[in-house]
């Protein structure tokens, strides 16, 4: 029973397209995150939500729009995809804003 | 703001060698500290944690001690195996709804 699951695992798309990545956690956690991992493995926080409310928006372009329909889900929609958006995107959750985070398996996005 | 610094560059060592990966941090207050491991093609897994000064986290033969006086949380393992080859990340949380990560260290263990 996967704790944090995100879909799809791989996403290949053309520049200019719009795509979504879905994330669900079954841990009953209050806080959810999106992280971006670049080709050098560097992890950068994009968004943080607590009980469906946006807490952190880390200077991410407006083309990225997170949506949290309930506290178990945090989806990421990306408009007008650019080459530089190619990366691995990780969803994660934690019990609160201080505890360890549990990560999904990642979505490898390739923009061509 | 919060930040984590890990030693530069990959780490290559022979099986059964001693592993140390250095981690220092800057944070407000008293953060919780973590080590995560990422195997190829997978997500991050929590390896160990420590939530207050002088706590020692341990798991799978790995250890790290929360040193407030030196703001450090170095990872150690006495005898590595090929299966320990992965990327290791040091991280902290100050309770501000974010986990700050170091840049990670690729560890390669040669048989």
């Amino acid at each position: 029973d996967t704790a944090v699951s995100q879909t799809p695992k791989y996403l290949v798309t053309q520049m200019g397209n719009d795509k979504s990545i879905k994330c669900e956690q079954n841990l009953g956690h209050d806080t959810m995150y999106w992280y971006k991992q670049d080709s050098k493995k560097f992890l950068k926080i994009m968004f943080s939500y607590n009980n469906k409310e946006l807490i952190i928006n880390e200077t991410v372009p407006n083309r990225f729009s997170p949506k949290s329909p309930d506290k178990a889900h945090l989806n990421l929609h990306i408009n007008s995809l650019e080459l530089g958006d190619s990366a691995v995107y990780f969803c994660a959750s934690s019990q609160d804003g201080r505890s360890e985070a549990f990560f999904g398996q990642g979505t490898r996005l390739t923009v061509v | 703001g919060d930040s984590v610094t890990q030693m530069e560059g990959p780490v290559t060592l022979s099986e059964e060698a001693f592993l140390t990966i250095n981690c220092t941090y800057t944070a407000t207050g008293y953060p919780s500290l973590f080590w995560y491991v990422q195997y190829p093609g997978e997500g991050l897994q929590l390896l160990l944690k420590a939530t207050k000064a002088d706590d020692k986290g341990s798991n799978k033969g790995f250890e790290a001690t929360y040193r407030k006086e030196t703001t450090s949380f170095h990872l150690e393992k006495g005898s590595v195996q090929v299966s320990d080859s992965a990327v290791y990340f040091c991280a902290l949380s100050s309770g501000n709804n974010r986990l700050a990560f170091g840049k990670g260290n690729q560890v390669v263990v040669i048989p």
Side-chain angles (χ1 to χ4, degrees), chain B residues 50-72:
Chain B
T51 58
K52 61 183 189 297
D54 300 325
D55 268 3
K56 178 186 281 188
S58 60
N59 186 26
K60 299 181 181 179
F62 290 89
E63 291 183 342
T65 301
Y66 190 143
R67 301 283 188 206
K68 185 170 179 292
E69 63 276 13
T70 54
T71 62
S72 64

Side-chain angles (χ1 to χ4, degrees), chain A residues 16-89:
Chain A
N17 284 351
D18 303 338
K19 290 293 179 186
S20 292
I21 306 172
K22 295 187 175 181
C23 178
E24 175 181 6
Q25 54 97 0
N26 63 5
L27 298 167
H29 288 167
D30 287 340
T31 304
M32 294 187 73
Y33 313 84
W34 278 108
Y35 279 84
K36 179 180 181 180
Q37 186 174 46
D38 64 21
S39 58
K40 295 184 179 179
K41 302 291 187 182
F42 184 62
L43 281 155
K44 184 173 170 56
I45 190 166
M46 300 173 68
F47 302 102
S48 167
Y49 271 70
N50 185 273
N51 274 316
K52 304 192 301 176
E53 299 297 322
L54 178 65
I55 304 297
I56 291 172
N57 179 341
E58 197 74 358
T59 61
V60 178
N62 290 339
R63 298 182 295 104
F64 290 79
S65 52
K67 284 190 172 49
S68 183
D70 54 61
K71 76 172 194 176
H73 295 84
L74 180 61
N75 304 321
L76 183 65
H77 188 76
I78 315 169
N79 290 327
S80 304
L81 278 155
E82 300 177 358
L83 291 176
D85 297 331
S86 295
V88 181
Y89 292 84

Side-chain angles (χ1 to χ4, degrees), chain A residues 35 37 48 58 98 100-101, chain B residues 30 36 38 49 97 99:
Chain A
Y35 279 84
Q37 186 174 46
S48 167
E58 197 74 358
R98 181 183 179 91
E100 65 269 29
Chain B
Y30 303 96
Y36 281 84
Q38 185 178 26
K49 68 177 182 181
N97 293 287
L99 214 56

